[in-house]
Amino acid sequence: MKKSKKFVTIRDVAKAAGVSINTVSRALNNRPDINPQTKAKVLKVAKELGYIKDATALSLRYGLSRVVGVILEDSSNPFFSEVLKGIEVKAKENGFNVILMNTEKDYGLEEEAIRTMLSRRVDGIIISPTQEKTEDMKLLLESGTPFVVLGVHFNEENIPEVYSNDFQGAYAAVRHLLENGRRRIIYLSAYLYKSVAQMRLAGYKKALEDFGIPFDEKLVYEVEEGIEQSYQKVLEIVNSSKDFDAVFCFNDISAIGTVWALKESGRKVPDQISVVGYDDILFARFIEPPLTTVRIDKQQEGELAFELLLKIIKGEKLEKKKIVLDVNLIVRQSS
Amino acid sequence: MKKSKKFVTIRDVAKAAGVSINTVSRALNNRPDINPQTKAKVLKVAKELGYIKDATALSLRYGLSRVVGVILEDSSNPFFSEVLKGIEVKAKENGFNVILMNTEKDYGLEEEAIRTMLSRRVDGIIISPTQEKTEDMKLLLESGTPFVVLGVHFNEENIPEVYSNDFQGAYAAVRHLLENGRRRIIYLSAYLYKSVAQMRLAGYKKALEDFGIPFDEKLVYEVEEGIEQSYQKVLEIVNSSKDFDAVFCFNDISAIGTVWALKESGRKVPDQISVVGYDDILFARFIEPPLTTVRIDKQQEGELAFELLLKIIKGEKLEKKKIVLDVNLIVRQSS
DNA sequence: TTGTATGCGTTATCAT
DNA sequence: ATGATAACGCATACAA
């Protein structure tokens, strides 16, 4: 593999224009100390030759790349794809580019992604950690490279984070189910080593407590995320003739699998079983029945993450290191 | 904005290990001409100091960045988010990273994105052009930077492309509708300056022709892509009391809007009106009624695009410059 | 086996 | 107003 084509450099422009390379640099960068005519000529030549500034050279020169690294579980997941969109929008707005890496929820890939980003000398990193293990976060911390954790809450003061209020969301969702007379509410959870799953569990418990309903751990199921996995688990639950009248799902993807399984088992949603999702992905309202869910402004979450990161990169004083997004319960027809 | 922290360089390692910088380089790059003990020591020191190779310096040095630029209309669109996933997977597999830029279907942003990618000295570009204007493609072509066009077909021999067989897909979809007795089939199209929209129109016409049904241009509507836009347009069509018994939609997003509008107008799908989508996005089967659609293997499309690009980057001989993916009609309950 | 010097493209410092 | 030169981090040709 060798370079396909030589790019035009300031040296080429200098030669063609009959000036020195830093006269070219001056012209290109709108410096005041240059004769307007010289400048005009240089600019003309540069254009003719098709000169395009080499950003890799600038990165080396300044130790700044104007690139941010984005490390996500899976950019094709409708939740993350909207978050990513928000990041990309704000990055572009501020003259930054985005390098994307997916971890596929694999700790090894996550660590590799961090190393790659550091090697690329990105100016900052936005990461949504898998949380299966967290040693790699120390690597990040020690690297000195600015970073923001997205969608996850660590119990360490000095880690900048943007995440949504999952306690509030879960509380609202479960309270809503209770107010509608549901009493045996399953929590179909993601793996509980995830802070998000834990916070939602806490909200779930608090709502039960406020209604004087004892918490039954037998109603909490840990499932790997995915439509298929939720579908299988719910089928299993139904076949075990467990008594339940509602399912609070970890996210909308999971809720879709849940509704699918319930329908297939002949259970009416919401007549017999209520289902509530989480995230309010674009398609939540279009499934049948339209999904009651907890809305997170995903694009905003991405935008806030970038803006927080940018402040850190600029070395600005932060009012808050932890930004918590409010969420809203959206009641549709599945509950 | 200034560099937040100095990274450890080979010079630092050299000093700490008491050797010269290129002894360090030799150790780090597994060169044979180095004393194993020296090597071990250098490696140890490098690890202790937390040395991480500077990829920007390598880019400059070799004129190769091992980065590919990906330019899409909108990475949060479920079609593109899966394509992107495929690209990212193959890129990682081959030691490349991905810089992502969205164009929001804006020609200005598209051109800017190309310039940015060239400036970043990416080794190659995968682009899904808006096609509103195409001058920027010339810029790309002249730049000499390897690139692959994704999802779009130009009538120029020497442009490498990966796209799906839209003629075949549209033909299958419309033929299916005809076989089920539909005769007044609306084609809810994207803007017809897009090659995809044109190819699907051609497939639509051919199917009609094969059934001896005259083409009626009044049944073709150009709509901006989006659930809301399709919803509005279909409401409009219904209210104009146009006579039709099926809608062949440009994509699933559009089909979702169509079904929504039809339901809201009291039309039964598929009893009164059949609806067929395109793409088979993840959620197509979960809407009500489950959507009949033309399946594109989106992730594969992304993977093929990267693989084709990689061949071009490597300067390999190409068997084919144009790769056309087969598609399948998936019959569900909306038709 | 190890070290020295050069260049990749750019900007900044310091002349002139 | 303009030009020569060093420096960013690295790998390599060449010298020792």
Side-chain angles (χ1 to χ4, degrees):
Chain A
M1 209 174 337
K2 54 170 189 275
K3 24 193 321 182
S4 35
K5 196 197 169 189
K6 239 178 61 237
F7 279 87
V8 176
T9 73
I10 50 169
R11 235 173 294 270
D12 300 325
V13 177
K15 191 178 294 179
V19 296
S20 76
I21 57 164
N22 69 15
T23 297
V24 174
S25 180
R26 274 191 262 266
L28 257 25
N29 296 289
N30 278 313
R31 286 290 138 68
D33 51 349
I34 183 176
N35 184 313
Q37 293 166 25
T38 319
K39 179 172 173 178
K41 182 180 178 189
V42 169
L43 256 29
K44 181 163 161 286
V45 173
K47 183 154 206 174
E48 284 169 4
L49 263 48
Y51 171 81
I52 297 178
K53 196 177 288 204
D54 185 332
T56 65
L58 289 182
S59 293
L60 185 58
R61 177 71 230 263
Y62 288 125
L64 286 175
S65 56
R66 293 197 85 80
V67 172
V68 296
V70 176
I71 302 174
L72 302 175
E73 286 182 5
D74 175 5
S75 62
S76 72
N77 171 308
F79 175 83
F80 286 115
S81 76
E82 290 211 37
V83 171
L84 173 60
K85 175 74 169 291
I87 295 172
E88 201 271 337
V89 164
K90 280 292 166 189
K92 179 162 11 197
E93 209 175 295
N94 289 279
F96 277 73
N97 287 123
V98 169
I99 289 188
L100 168 71
M101 294 189 82
N102 289 140
T103 66
E104 322 285 349
K105 303 200 192 91
D106 178 306
Y107 174 76
L109 286 180
E110 182 175 309
E111 194 183 338
E112 191 190 310
I114 292 176
R115 277 183 208 287
T116 302
M117 295 302 184
L118 294 177
S119 175
R120 291 266 175 221
R121 300 297 193 256
V122 296
D123 294 338
I125 293 175
I126 294 174
I127 181 171
S128 175
T130 298
Q131 287 190 291
E132 188 191 332
K133 299 203 283 179
T134 56
E135 284 86 45
D136 57 351
M137 299 306 292
K138 288 186 195 115
L139 170 66
L140 235 190
L141 212 42
E142 286 163 9
S143 77
T145 294
F147 73 99
V148 166
V149 167
L150 189 143
V152 163
H153 173 56
F154 287 103
N155 283 320
E156 308 204 15
E157 270 303 321
N158 56 344
I159 295 185
E161 295 168 345
V162 176
Y163 60 98
S164 62
N165 194 333
D166 289 299
F167 178 86
Q168 174 201 337
Y171 181 85
V174 177
R175 186 183 176 93
H176 160 76
L177 289 169
L178 290 164
E179 284 171 350
N180 284 295
R182 302 305 180 176
R183 288 297 175 268
R184 301 277 302 161
I185 303 170
I186 285 178
Y187 172 33
L188 199 65
S189 177
Y191 292 131
L192 282 163
Y193 58 70
K194 295 196 166 198
S195 67
V196 181
Q198 287 166 17
M199 290 165 74
R200 291 185 193 169
L201 179 59
Y204 168 89
K205 285 182 177 173
K206 184 63 165 62
L208 290 176
E209 187 189 320
D210 285 2
F211 267 72
I213 313 275
F215 170 66
D216 178 357
E217 65 176 8
K218 297 261 174 56
L219 290 176
V220 177
Y221 293 87
E222 276 186 274
V223 194
E224 199 179 327
E225 292 166 65
I227 292 183
E228 192 70 31
Q229 289 86 343
S230 296
Y231 166 78
Q232 293 295 350
K233 177 58 77 177
V234 172
L235 277 189
E236 202 180 287
I237 296 172
V238 167
N239 291 334
S240 73
S241 47
K242 163 96 49 178
D243 174 34
F244 68 102
D245 53 18
V247 185
F248 169 50
C249 300
F250 178 71
N251 60 23
D252 292 344
I253 301 278
S254 159
I256 288 171
T258 297
V259 169
W260 177 23
L262 291 173
K263 278 184 179 174
E264 206 168 286
S265 316
R267 303 295 196 283
K268 299 288 177 208
V269 179
D271 297 355
Q272 297 171 287
I273 312 280
S274 291
V275 174
V276 176
Y278 212 107
D279 289 350
D280 195 28
I281 60 176
L282 180 58
F283 299 97
R285 59 173 298 188
F286 296 108
I287 72 162
E288 184 60 32
L291 203 58
T292 293
T293 188
V294 177
R295 180 164 190 8
I296 299 177
D297 191 330
K298 298 159 285 297
Q299 181 158 348
Q300 189 195 19
E301 186 164 345
E303 294 181 0
L304 288 172
F306 181 86
E307 284 171 345
L308 180 60
L309 180 63
L310 187 57
K311 281 184 186 167
I312 299 173
I313 291 173
K314 286 183 174 171
E316 290 180 14
K317 200 112 218 142
L318 305 181
E319 314 92 73
K320 297 191 290 182
K321 272 206 166 178
K322 315 266 183 192
I323 296 181
V324 184
L325 270 81
D326 277 334
V327 295
N328 301 94
L329 180 70
I330 307 288
V331 179
R332 298 201 181 95
Q333 283 89 67
S334 69
S335 65
Chain B
M1 208 173 337
K2 53 171 188 274
K3 26 194 316 184
S4 38
K5 197 196 169 189
K6 241 177 58 237
F7 278 88
V8 176
T9 73
I10 49 170
R11 234 175 298 270
D12 300 325
V13 176
K15 191 180 293 179
V19 297
S20 77
I21 58 164
N22 72 9
T23 297
V24 175
S25 180
R26 273 192 262 266
L28 257 26
N29 295 291
N30 279 315
R31 286 290 135 71
D33 51 351
I34 182 175
N35 184 312
Q37 294 167 26
T38 320
K39 179 170 174 178
K41 182 181 179 188
V42 169
L43 256 28
K44 181 163 162 285
V45 172
K47 183 153 205 173
E48 284 169 2
L49 264 46
Y51 172 81
I52 297 178
K53 199 176 286 207
D54 185 334
T56 66
L58 289 180
S59 294
L60 188 58
R61 175 73 228 266
Y62 286 122
L64 286 175
S65 57
R66 292 196 85 81
V67 172
V68 295
V70 177
I71 303 174
L72 303 175
E73 288 183 2
D74 175 5
S75 62
S76 73
N77 173 307
F79 176 83
F80 286 116
S81 76
E82 290 210 38
V83 171
L84 173 61
K85 174 75 170 289
I87 295 173
E88 202 271 337
V89 164
K90 280 292 166 191
K92 179 163 9 199
E93 210 174 294
N94 289 278
F96 277 74
N97 287 121
V98 169
I99 289 188
L100 168 71
M101 293 189 82
N102 290 139
T103 65
E104 322 285 349
K105 303 196 192 92
D106 178 306
Y107 174 76
L109 286 180
E110 181 175 309
E111 194 184 337
E112 192 190 309
I114 292 174
R115 278 183 208 287
T116 301
M117 295 302 185
L118 294 178
S119 176
R120 292 269 175 215
R121 299 298 192 253
V122 296
D123 294 338
I125 294 175
I126 295 175
I127 181 172
S128 175
T130 298
Q131 286 190 291
E132 187 192 332
K133 300 204 284 179
T134 55
E135 283 87 46
D136 56 352
M137 299 306 293
K138 286 183 197 120
L139 170 65
L140 235 190
L141 211 42
E142 287 164 9
S143 78
T145 295
F147 72 100
V148 166
V149 167
L150 189 143
V152 163
H153 174 57
F154 288 102
N155 282 321
E156 307 205 16
E157 270 302 321
N158 56 344
I159 295 186
E161 296 168 343
V162 176
Y163 60 97
S164 61
N165 194 333
D166 290 298
F167 178 87
Q168 174 201 336
Y171 181 84
V174 176
R175 186 182 174 95
H176 159 77
L177 288 169
L178 290 164
E179 285 172 349
N180 284 293
R182 303 304 179 175
R183 287 298 176 267
R184 302 278 301 161
I185 303 170
I186 285 178
Y187 172 33
L188 199 64
S189 177
Y191 292 129
L192 283 164
Y193 58 70
K194 296 196 167 201
S195 67
V196 181
Q198 287 166 19
M199 291 164 73
R200 292 185 194 168
L201 178 61
Y204 167 90
K205 284 182 176 172
K206 183 64 164 63
L208 289 176
E209 187 189 320
D210 285 3
F211 267 73
I213 314 276
F215 170 66
D216 178 358
E217 63 177 8
K218 296 261 176 55
L219 290 175
V220 176
Y221 294 87
E222 275 185 273
V223 194
E224 198 179 327
E225 292 167 65
I227 293 183
E228 190 71 31
Q229 288 86 342
S230 294
Y231 166 78
Q232 294 294 349
K233 177 57 76 178
V234 172
L235 277 189
E236 202 181 286
I237 296 172
V238 168
N239 291 332
S240 74
S241 47
K242 160 97 47 179
D243 175 35
F244 69 101
D245 53 18
V247 186
F248 170 49
C249 301
F250 179 71
N251 61 22
D252 292 344
I253 301 279
S254 159
I256 288 171
T258 298
V259 169
W260 177 22
L262 290 173
K263 278 184 179 173
E264 205 168 286
S265 315
R267 303 294 198 283
K268 300 287 176 207
V269 179
D271 297 355
Q272 296 172 288
I273 312 280
S274 290
V275 175
V276 175
Y278 211 108
D279 290 349
D280 194 29
I281 60 176
L282 180 57
F283 300 98
R285 58 174 297 187
F286 296 108
I287 70 161
E288 184 60 34
L291 204 59
T292 293
T293 187
V294 178
R295 178 162 191 13
I296 301 177
D297 191 332
K298 297 160 285 296
Q299 181 157 346
Q300 190 195 19
E301 186 165 346
E303 293 181 1
L304 289 172
F306 182 85
E307 283 170 347
L308 180 60
L309 180 62
L310 187 58
K311 279 185 188 166
I312 300 174
I313 291 174
K314 286 183 174 172
E316 290 179 14
K317 202 110 221 138
L318 304 180
E319 313 91 75
K320 297 190 288 184
K321 274 208 169 180
K322 315 264 185 195
I323 296 181
V324 184
L325 269 79
D326 277 334
V327 295
N328 301 93
L329 181 68
I330 308 287
V331 179
R332 299 204 182 94
Q333 283 88 67
S334 69
S335 66

